[in-house]
Amino acid sequence: MAISKYLESRKNIAGSVCGLAGLGLTFAGVAGPYWPVVVAGLYGAGALIAPPERPALPDFPDPSAQLEEVRADFGRLSGYLAEVELPPAAAGRLTELMDLLAALLDPGWAAQLLAEHPEGLHTLSRAVRQDLPEAVDSYVRARWWTRLTPGQEPPERHLERQLGLLRQEAETLAAALRDTEARRQETHTRYLEDRSGGEGVSA
C-alpha cells in the first residue's frame, strides 16, 4: 500500500520526469559514462522540488444533509415530549416553541436559507438536540425532588423561563433568515435597476 501510494505521489512523478530528462541527456551523449549518476541525481532533484502532498479534506456532510439529520432528531424529540406531562402554562409555551421550530425545519424556503446559514443551523441543532431536551428532563427530575422536599421554588417556573428564552432565540433566528431574504430581494432589484440604466418602473 505504501509503495503504491508513493508511486502515485507528486514526488515520484516529478522525479520520474527529471529522470527521463537525464536519460535524454544520456542518449544525446552529454552524460557520458556517468549517466547512472546523472539520472539518479535528476530524479532526486525532481523529488525534492516537487510540492508536498496535500491531505484530502474530511468528507463532512453538506448543510442540506445536516439539516435532514436535525429534522429527524426533531421527530424523535417530538415523540419524547409527547410522553412528558407538563403544567398548562409550560405546555402552552412548549407548543408555541415546537410550532416555530417545525416551521424553521419545514422543507421549504426556510430550509434553503438555513443550508446557507451555518450559525443558524447550529443554533437550531443545539435547541433540538441539547437545550430543549435538557430543559424538559431537568424539570422532570426537579419535580420529583420537590415532592420530597416541599417549599422550594416550583420547577415549572424555571421550565417556563427556559422555554421562553428558547422561543426568543428561535424568533431571532427566524428574523435573521427573513432579513437575509429581504436583502437578497433588494440586491436583485438594484441589479435590475442598474442593468436598465437606473430608470425605475412606474406602476
Side-chain angles (χ1 to χ4, degrees), residues 103-119:
L104 288 170
L105 287 169
D106 183 71
W109 67 269
Q112 295 175 359
L113 288 175
L114 275 172
E116 304 170 2
H117 198 288
E119 292 182 3

Side-chain angles (χ1 to χ4, degrees), residues 14-28 30-31 38-39 42-43:
S16 298
V17 170
C18 291
L20 288 175
L23 288 176
L25 293 175
T26 299
F27 293 139
V30 177
V38 172
V39 172
L42 287 175
Y43 176 88

Side-chain angles (χ1 to χ4, degrees), residues 80-100:
Y80 160 72
L81 295 176
E83 300 178 1
V84 180
E85 183 179 351
L86 300 178
R93 292 197 175 192
L94 178 61
T95 298
E96 294 172 351
L97 174 59
M98 292 295 287
D99 289 345
L100 182 53

Side-chain angles (χ1 to χ4, degrees), residues 11-192:
K11 289 184 176 297
N12 182 56
I13 294 174
S16 298
V17 170
C18 291
L20 288 175
L23 288 176
L25 293 175
T26 299
F27 293 139
V30 177
Y34 302 102
W35 68 268
V37 178
V38 172
V39 172
L42 287 175
Y43 176 88
L48 287 175
I49 65 174
E53 293 295 323
R54 188 176 66 185
L57 290 172
D59 187 18
F60 295 125
D62 60 32
S64 298
Q66 295 179 40
L67 192 57
E68 284 295 331
E69 293 176 0
V70 176
R71 190 177 290 119
D73 291 341
F74 180 75
R76 287 191 287 271
L77 175 63
S78 300
Y80 160 72
L81 295 176
E83 300 178 1
V84 180
E85 183 179 351
L86 300 178
R93 292 197 175 192
L94 178 61
T95 298
E96 294 172 351
L97 174 59
M98 292 295 287
D99 289 345
L100 182 53
L101 293 177
L104 288 170
L105 287 169
D106 183 71
W109 67 269
Q112 295 175 359
L113 288 175
L114 275 172
E116 304 170 2
H117 198 288
E119 292 182 3
L121 183 56
H122 173 70
T123 298
L124 194 58
S125 173
R126 183 179 57 194
V128 170
R129 294 171 170 168
Q130 177 180 338
D131 295 334
L132 186 50
E134 176 64 22
V136 175
D137 185 60
S138 296
Y139 162 76
V140 172
R141 288 184 280 116
R143 182 183 59 178
W144 186 84
W145 284 105
T146 301
R147 293 173 180 174
L148 298 180
T149 57
Q152 305 295 322
E153 183 179 9
E156 55 265 26
R157 292 183 184 175
H158 284 286
L159 177 61
E160 291 171 15
R161 288 200 294 268
Q162 292 168 5
L163 294 175
L165 291 170
L166 288 174
R167 180 182 176 183
Q168 181 180 356
E169 190 175 54
E171 289 175 341
T172 300
L173 173 58
L177 296 178
R178 183 185 63 236
D179 291 343
T180 298
E181 192 68 18
R183 287 194 298 271
R184 179 178 299 174
Q185 186 182 31
E186 292 170 0
T187 299
H188 190 58
T189 299
R190 288 195 297 270
Y191 162 73
L192 293 176

